[in-house]
Amino acid sequence: YRPSKAIFRQDLGSYLVRNGIAALSSGIHIDIPSMTTIDGSTKIGDLENDVKYLDSLASDEYMAFKEKKGIWLNEVTRSHRPDLVDEAEFEMNAGVLKKIWRKITQR
């Protein structure tokens, strides 16, 4: 995908999430037994790449949430993601020592 005025291509999923046009969701296909995962790889390298990609999408989503872009401008939509609300409030209100302690204890 190449947005207007861009020289290089971008990943469409990242673009949509970063701009608040789409949100992340998980577990949907598990809830529908008739829906199967297609081309699911069991190679460690593929799984590691998938995890990195999902982590990147989660980071993009948090930035869009924090900046109130797109769908995240709506308070009702924001209320459906209490994990992001808590994280954004912590980042805004917590002192430096609390942030450092959190980084240390999360490792």
Side-chain angles (χ1 to χ4, degrees), residues 43-80:
K43 295 178 184 174
I44 295 297
D46 292 342
L47 295 173
E48 287 174 345
N49 289 337
D50 289 346
V51 169
K52 288 177 187 174
Y53 181 66
L54 289 173
D55 190 43
S56 170
L57 287 177
S59 177
D60 290 340
E61 182 180 48
Y62 177 68
M63 293 306 295
F65 182 90
K66 194 168 77 169
E67 296 170 7
K68 294 186 176 183
K69 287 185 174 180
I71 61 174
W72 301 118
L73 187 60
N74 185 314
E75 288 301 321
V76 174
T77 305
R78 292 172 70 84
S79 70
H80 291 294

Side-chain angles (χ1 to χ4, degrees), residues 2-106:
R2 189 180 4 236
S4 61
K5 300 179 185 176
I7 297 172
F8 301 106
R9 292 180 181 262
Q10 294 182 17
D11 175 62
L12 181 59
S14 296
Y15 176 82
L16 294 173
V17 170
R18 189 178 318 115
N19 289 290
I21 300 168
L24 296 182
S25 178
S26 65
I28 292 174
H29 75 280
I30 295 170
D31 298 333
I32 305 171
S34 63
M35 189 176 210
T36 59
T37 301
I38 300 170
D39 293 330
S41 176
T42 57
K43 295 178 184 174
I44 295 297
D46 292 342
L47 295 173
E48 287 174 345
N49 289 337
D50 289 346
V51 169
K52 288 177 187 174
Y53 181 66
L54 289 173
D55 190 43
S56 170
L57 287 177
S59 177
D60 290 340
E61 182 180 48
Y62 177 68
M63 293 306 295
F65 182 90
K66 194 168 77 169
E67 296 170 7
K68 294 186 176 183
K69 287 185 174 180
I71 61 174
W72 301 118
L73 187 60
N74 185 314
E75 288 301 321
V76 174
T77 305
R78 292 172 70 84
S79 70
H80 291 294
R81 290 297 304 270
D83 56 325
L84 294 178
V85 171
D86 293 343
E87 185 62 31
E89 287 177 359
F90 178 82
E91 191 173 301
M92 286 178 19
N93 301 324
V96 175
L97 292 177
K98 282 188 177 183
K99 290 178 183 177
I100 292 171
W101 179 251
R102 184 186 227 187
K103 284 195 181 231
I104 292 170
T105 57
Q106 285 184 347

